[in-house]
Amino acid sequence: MSKAIQFFTWQDVARQMAGRPLALFGAGNIASKTRRKLKDVDMVAIFDNASDHWGEEELGVVISNPEDWADFPNRPYILITTTSVREVSEQLISMGLSSGTDFAVSPVLNDLRIIDELESIERRLMFTSGSPPVDASAHGGGVYEMEVQGDSWAHIKKISGNCYGITEFNGNYVTVDTERGIVEFDSDYKIVRSRKLPHGARAHGVCYDPNRRLFFMTCSYLDAVLVLDEDFKQLAEIQISHKRNRYGSPSHHCNDCCVWEDSLFVSMFSLNGNWKQDVFDGGVLEIDIETHEIIGPAATGLWMPHNVTFINGGFTLLDSLPGYLRANNLQVIGTFPAFTRGLAHDGMFHYIGQSRNRNYSRNLGRSRSISIDAGVIVFDEYTKVSRFLQLPPKVSEIHSIKVIS
């Protein structure tokens, strides 16, 4: 919808009318509900674009041609009482009226506010995909940019590779790539530098601690977190448990990480290391950054969790297989129909990556709607309204998301 559209409370409307008479734009049920709320206000007309209703009476006034607005004494304040908010708002502006000063949307229609905001959103997003790299600009693994302009959006691959986690660093970005290792690139997606990681590490998540000037990188095949300095030199390796060294293979499937104060938080498929035996006791471990000692589980009872982070100071993560966004003491604040992986927040909306659900059979009986589509979900946690920015089938995986403007 047009950016000129504004939504107000009943108190706002009363202040803006400032003694002016009232007119409604749009005959029917919404007009009746609005009139009941403003029954003590002097109403002089109902405007409607349907010419066959002009001259008829409704709610004690005559339905009139909107072009007659200037002929009414004191130029009445208009409340839009039709769901065609976009079109009527633009029509009134073309007549010389100002949103807020001369007209507003009836508060009866305030549920359209979030729809307006989602449909008119303009954002540039960055996301990574760990799919195999291919020589194509619109699919395959790598780093992508997605530009959203209202009701249209487009994506393009900027860096090709098996890319997973992503973090910000001194105005640039750092990602992990299966072949290149740890990679820094600038805002133009030019690779500044890279450094190989230990063979077979399968790095997944990465975060940067500006206070200690350290990178932390979760490695799924090592059951460990690597600690690197700003030169990408490895300083330490934090083992999640003894199982990999004892049995020769990874057991926990560590994926993402984040730093909060003196702690490192690491998400994984199994806290006890039994996910290969179909024991998905997924959770998040808290690790002391200074001592590298495991403090204990910060979250338990999850199924393939990813993207542990803090949003507005609150612990937040994706419980990926059931499609849950968890926050506020790990309550489910959003439920989505596919494998959720990739999470960002711009102060207003959550941006949630949705990957093709290759494990849908595990969800049978838990979910009544299992999507195989990939894309980005824009979600408002307060109204629970969301918008889906679908990607082509060949872009089947998203791992991390960043809002870049």
Side-chain angles (χ1 to χ4, degrees), residues 272-399:
N272 291 320
N274 296 307
W275 73 277
K276 292 180 181 178
Q277 289 75 47
D278 283 343
V279 180
F280 285 90
D281 58 324
V284 177
L285 277 185
E286 182 180 4
I287 300 172
D288 186 287
I289 292 178
E290 300 297 334
T291 66
H292 296 175
E293 294 179 357
I294 294 175
I295 297 173
T300 60
L302 308 176
W303 201 341
M304 300 185 181
H306 289 85
N307 307 109
V308 57
T309 187
F310 285 79
I311 294 176
N312 295 328
F315 190 61
T316 307
L317 57 82
L318 290 174
D319 199 354
S320 298
L321 188 68
Y324 296 155
L325 170 62
R326 291 184 179 271
N328 304 332
N329 197 28
L330 293 179
Q331 296 180 83
V332 177
I333 64 169
T335 303
F336 310 99
F339 195 84
T340 54
R341 183 176 54 199
L343 177 62
H345 193 265
D346 67 358
M348 180 180 297
F349 300 123
H350 290 85
Y351 298 83
I352 299 160
Q354 175 174 302
S355 297
R356 178 181 297 162
N357 203 329
R358 296 170 299 177
N359 301 290
Y360 71 88
S361 61
R362 298 181 183 275
N363 239 348
L364 294 177
R366 291 176 55 90
S367 174
R368 297 184 183 276
S369 177
I370 302 172
S371 174
I372 62 170
D373 295 319
V376 177
I377 302 161
V378 187
F379 175 66
D380 179 69
E381 68 172 291
Y382 301 105
T383 64
K384 308 305 178 185
V385 177
S386 66
R387 178 183 179 190
F388 185 51
L389 308 175
Q390 186 172 351
L391 292 168
K394 287 187 176 181
V395 184
S396 61
E397 294 188 8
I398 293 178
H399 286 82

Side-chain angles (χ1 to χ4, degrees), residues 174-241:
V174 170
T175 188
V176 290
D177 182 309
T178 301
E179 294 299 320
R180 296 186 183 96
I182 184 169
V183 179
E184 180 182 353
F185 60 94
D186 63 20
S187 58
D188 293 322
Y189 300 96
K190 178 182 178 182
I191 294 178
V192 177
R193 57 179 174 143
S194 64
R195 185 163 185 164
K196 292 281 189 178
L197 297 172
H199 178 71
R202 186 63 183 275
H204 192 292
V206 60
C207 64
Y208 175 66
D209 179 0
N211 294 323
R212 297 172 178 82
R213 299 172 66 179
L214 295 174
F215 290 97
F216 297 92
M217 185 174 304
T218 53
C219 297
S220 299
Y221 284 5
L222 296 180
D223 274 350
V225 179
L226 302 184
V227 184
L228 289 73
D229 64 16
E230 290 187 329
D231 295 322
F232 295 166
K233 179 182 177 181
Q234 182 177 330
L235 303 178
E237 179 176 318
I238 306 172
Q239 289 288 328
I240 299 302
S241 76

Side-chain angles (χ1 to χ4, degrees), residues 104-118:
V105 179
S106 168
V108 169
L109 291 171
N110 267 3
D111 282 350
L112 292 179
R113 177 198 298 260
I114 186 61
I115 297 174
D116 168 54
E117 291 173 345
L118 286 172

